[in-house]
Amino acid sequence: MADDSAVSRKLVEHTLSEKRYYLVFAKSGREAVDLLSRYHPALVIVDWIMPDLTGIEICKHIRSKTQASYTYIILLTGKSEKESVVEGLAAGADDYLTKPFHPEELIARVGVGLRIMELQREIEVKNAMLQELALTDPLTSLPNRRAIEDWAARQLSGAARHGFSFWVALADLDHFKAVNDTYGHESGDTVLKTFSRILKSKSRSSDICGRIGGEEFLFVMTHAVKEDAERVIECIRAELEATNFNFNGNSLKVTASFGLVGFAGARAPDFKQLVASADLALYSAKRLGRNRVEVGEALTM
């Protein structure tokens, strides 16, 4: 609550003290701005007329900032003219209360504001969940194609600017259709989840791996020399090959083929170009007998 009047601050404090709200008071507009950045309050009550910054200016300040969460503003004013009310709302206030205010009306309006903020928080949580779902493969919980492409575009620019290496491995499970046809889609899902865990276990914080559709996966590495990139992908291939699957009493081995390409240069290519090059290398791995890693020609730009 921001008000240069000690009497007004005390009235608000007394009125709201029984509601278990956590109250912070500012004696001036400047102090209010400092407290806003420190506490990020859900709701602000601000007086219109203060000697340094007006309530209108504080409203505009709050609305001009990019914030993770919305702040509900109640403007306290002695002005009851329609033009003043419109000016306050246009500046960013959500509600207004004329002085002298009735205590029960203040309690009611704060209650409305906080109910709205609670709904706003629920919406923010749901939106965050939807955003995560939009970037996640639902079966494996790995990033999906969109998430990898968004991440890779940023990292590629950094690789070109700062001169670090960038590797793309495209993986495809061998004869995966036969697994689904013979043992059922639930067994196929088990294979996909197991391979996802292997990929994740070999991924560093500077890497990303994900499922881009069907039985195809991407593994993107940065800050790795060619020998290390090949070694990581070969470890993934070998671990999958060594894994025993048992479906309905039948033991099964599953393998995967990989195409690996790198980039080094001063100008970043389109990520899709790297994926296309990795796909050509993957095609060579399939043609040469599957269950192998083929390294394609590095892109230099």
Side-chain angles (χ1 to χ4, degrees):
M1 192 268 180
D3 198 316
D4 62 320
S5 167
V7 174
S8 292
R9 295 196 303 273
K10 183 57 69 174
L11 286 172
V12 170
E13 182 178 14
H14 179 73
T15 301
L16 299 178
S17 60
E18 296 181 1
K19 293 297 181 180
R20 295 185 177 180
Y21 297 139
Y22 179 67
L23 305 174
V24 178
F25 291 92
K27 301 174 184 177
S28 67
R30 295 292 181 191
E31 187 180 2
V33 170
D34 292 339
L35 292 176
L36 284 166
S37 62
R38 187 187 310 173
Y39 291 102
H40 306 288
L43 186 144
V44 172
I45 303 170
V46 59
D47 185 33
W48 184 305
I49 300 175
M50 288 185 288
D52 51 355
L53 291 177
T54 67
I56 293 293
E57 289 173 317
I58 292 175
C59 287
K60 291 179 178 178
H61 170 80
I62 293 172
R63 297 300 178 232
S64 68
K65 299 294 182 181
T66 301
Q67 301 180 88
S69 297
Y70 189 78
T71 299
Y72 192 91
I73 305 173
I74 299 176
L75 189 62
L76 279 181
T77 175
K79 303 180 179 184
S80 57
E81 300 86 0
K82 188 65 68 177
E83 293 79 7
S84 298
V85 172
V86 170
E87 182 185 357
L89 295 174
D94 297 284
D95 198 359
Y96 72 95
L97 192 59
T98 55
K99 292 182 177 181
F101 59 83
H102 190 283
E104 293 300 323
E105 184 178 5
L106 175 62
I107 291 172
R109 290 183 183 273
V110 169
V112 168
L114 291 176
R115 285 198 300 273
I116 290 173
M117 292 311 303
E118 186 176 343
L119 291 171
Q120 176 71 20
R121 299 290 188 267
E122 291 178 5
I123 291 171
E124 289 169 0
V125 169
K126 289 177 181 177
N127 283 343
M129 292 173 62
L130 289 172
Q131 179 69 13
E132 184 176 353
L133 288 172
L135 299 173
T136 304
D137 175 60
L139 177 66
T140 64
S141 297
L142 289 180
N144 61 16
R145 180 188 291 271
R146 177 185 164 190
I148 295 174
E149 288 178 347
D150 290 348
W151 182 90
R154 296 190 300 271
Q155 291 297 317
L156 265 174
S157 296
R161 188 165 56 252
H162 301 294
F164 60 81
S165 59
F166 190 97
W167 295 90
V168 176
L170 184 61
D172 186 86
L173 296 178
D174 298 324
H175 304 298
F176 183 71
K177 185 176 182 299
V179 176
N180 282 332
D181 291 346
T182 305
Y183 302 100
H185 287 277
E186 187 173 337
S187 298
D189 289 348
T190 298
V191 172
L192 293 172
K193 291 176 183 178
T194 300
F195 186 57
S196 298
R197 286 194 291 271
I198 294 173
L199 288 174
K200 189 67 177 175
S201 70
K202 299 296 186 291
S203 175
R204 306 165 300 168
S205 59
S206 57
D207 306 331
I208 192 172
C209 58
R211 182 184 178 209
I212 61 173
E215 62 269 29
E216 280 196 324
F217 295 78
L218 272 174
F219 193 106
V220 185
M221 282 177 283
T222 63
H223 304 279
V225 297
K226 180 181 178 182
E227 292 75 15
D228 288 340
E230 287 186 78
R231 178 182 54 78
V232 170
I233 301 304
E234 174 58 29
C235 283
I236 294 170
R237 185 207 64 76
E239 186 169 339
L240 176 64
E241 184 184 26
T243 301
N244 287 312
F245 295 93
N246 195 295
F247 302 128
N248 300 323
N250 298 304
S251 182
L252 175 68
K253 291 282 191 179
V254 177
T255 62
S257 301
F258 300 81
L260 176 66
V261 296
F263 156 74
R267 187 164 60 90
D270 189 302
F271 179 64
K272 292 179 180 178
Q273 288 180 261
L274 281 170
V275 175
S277 296
D279 192 38
L280 290 174
L282 172 62
Y283 177 77
S284 295
K286 293 283 189 181
R287 185 170 50 82
L288 292 171
R290 295 181 170 82
N291 189 27
R292 59 187 293 132
V293 181
E294 285 296 313
V295 181
E297 187 174 344
L299 268 68
T300 55
M301 303 185 75

